[in-house]
Amino acid sequence: AEPPAWAPGPAQAAALLEEAADLLVLHRDFAAAVERCEAGCDSLGPHLRRCLFLTSFAEVKCSLCVVGIQALAEMNRWREVLSWVLQYYHVPEHLPPKVLELCILLYSKVGEPQVMLEAGSSWLRAQGNQRLPELGPLLELFVAQVLLPLGHFEGAEELVRGCALEDSEQQLQLLGSVCESRARWARRRETRPAAEEQQDPATETVLGVLSQKLLTMVTLLRRALRSMSNHFYFLPYKKMLLATFLLYLVVVRLDPASPTSLPFIYKLVQLFRQAWAAVLSPIHRPPIRD
């Protein structure tokens, strides 16, 4: 018997899936893996619409997207992930549960859960997804990783009550989690001003200790420069002091990414400028002889 007209497409997609997986895992050629995944999804497009009842083809397309998502994440192109998968499924409601789960986890991991707000809500509210066995786990994941971290408590309660969960106990547990998260959120808002007030004296204390160390180090450096001035008055004082200051920052391990370190570093830089002005004060140099 002749093979069906749709056979070449799925066969090609399966071969491209295997090749993409090898490129991702064995060769770590992520860009090439994404290209293979795109070619496989493109080859499946029309065939999958004609043979939607053949779930194996849908699984091949889903697997291609999973490999593509992982390859994009490896290249730090995670911002493209959602739009990339939607070009093959067109609307969030048609995303396979595995792809939706991976997207939620990815954007939550990189600290951008808001990207999945609309897509996740649309998928969970879609009537065609209400009978899927993955509905409950995806709802729980979406609430925990997207809605609650963003403080969307009312939206979380509405979504939980609107989904057709077969397990009523799971629904009650989710609603309880929303209430607990709302209470913790309120407590943090109440205690945040007090914590900020307590943070300033601690920062000033650390600043005072480090400032004293810096002043002591500058004093010793100035004395050393004075003692060397008789023989090496041409030394580049500014470069030496700057290098010493940078080394000092490395030693005390300041974290520029920390929000509390920004005013601290600013104050320390001001102190450095004052110390530098002191070093630039007239230093005894030997008289120039004819």
Side-chain angles (χ1 to χ4, degrees):
E2 294 183 359
W6 43 262
Q12 181 183 3
L16 288 169
L17 172 60
E18 184 177 358
E19 187 177 351
D22 288 341
L23 289 168
L24 173 68
V25 178
L26 299 179
H27 305 287
R28 300 187 66 79
D29 190 347
F30 307 123
V34 172
E35 291 178 359
R36 301 302 190 280
C37 293
E38 291 175 342
C41 288
D42 290 337
S43 68
L44 267 180
H47 305 286
L48 190 61
R49 284 195 294 269
R50 291 171 59 183
C51 304
L52 194 58
F53 60 92
L54 295 177
T55 58
S56 59
F57 299 157
E59 290 174 357
V60 171
K61 186 174 182 179
C62 175
S63 299
L64 285 166
C65 288
V66 168
V67 174
I69 290 171
Q70 294 176 349
L72 289 172
E74 291 285 354
M75 293 188 293
N76 200 28
R77 291 169 56 187
W78 52 267
R79 295 176 180 85
E80 306 173 28
V81 164
L82 183 59
S83 59
W84 184 81
V85 297
L86 285 178
Q87 69 180 328
Y88 301 114
Y89 290 97
H90 307 296
V91 292
E93 295 85 343
H94 294 168
L95 289 175
K98 186 63 178 179
V99 172
L100 179 64
E101 176 187 7
L102 194 57
C103 290
I104 293 175
L105 291 174
L106 173 63
Y107 283 103
S108 175
K109 181 68 175 179
V110 298
E112 300 287 343
Q114 69 277 3
V115 175
M116 294 303 300
L117 262 176
E118 183 177 354
S121 298
S122 298
W123 193 96
L124 292 167
R125 296 178 188 276
Q127 193 64 30
N129 298 327
Q130 295 301 306
R131 295 183 179 181
L132 294 179
E134 297 88 353
L135 177 67
L138 279 177
L139 174 61
E140 184 175 356
L141 179 67
F142 183 71
V143 169
Q145 300 294 332
V146 178
L147 295 180
L148 296 186
L150 295 175
H152 293 193
F153 305 112
E154 295 182 0
E157 292 178 351
E158 179 184 355
L159 184 63
V160 171
R161 290 193 175 96
C163 288
L165 294 176
E166 296 181 358
D167 190 353
S168 58
E169 183 177 353
Q170 182 185 17
Q171 187 179 46
L172 293 176
Q173 290 177 352
L174 285 174
L175 292 174
S177 299
V178 174
C179 293
E180 293 177 2
S181 182
R182 190 202 300 267
R184 287 194 300 268
W185 185 286
R187 287 195 298 267
R188 283 198 300 268
R189 294 187 62 180
E190 293 175 355
T191 58
R192 187 176 301 168
E196 291 176 354
E197 292 177 0
Q198 294 176 359
Q199 188 175 5
D200 291 337
T203 304
E204 294 295 336
T205 301
V206 175
L207 178 61
V209 173
L210 296 180
S211 301
Q212 186 61 37
K213 290 182 179 180
L214 181 60
L215 286 175
T216 303
M217 183 178 62
V218 171
T219 302
L220 294 176
L221 178 62
R222 192 164 183 265
R223 290 177 182 176
L225 291 175
R226 285 180 181 276
S227 64
M228 293 188 300
S229 61
N230 292 330
H231 303 284
F232 306 104
Y233 61 91
F234 52 88
L235 285 177
Y237 301 109
K238 188 172 183 179
K239 291 183 179 179
M240 177 180 290
L241 186 56
L242 180 59
T244 306
F245 176 69
L246 294 176
L247 179 62
Y248 177 77
L249 291 180
V250 174
V251 171
V252 299
R253 298 178 184 276
L254 294 177
D255 182 11
S258 174
T260 58
S261 68
L262 296 178
F264 176 78
I265 293 177
Y266 175 74
K267 295 179 182 178
L268 202 57
V269 169
Q270 287 183 326
L271 179 64
F272 163 69
R273 290 176 178 173
Q274 297 175 1
W276 168 236
V279 173
L280 287 182
S281 60
I283 299 178
H284 173 69
R285 297 179 179 178
I288 300 177
R289 298 181 180 180
D290 296 334

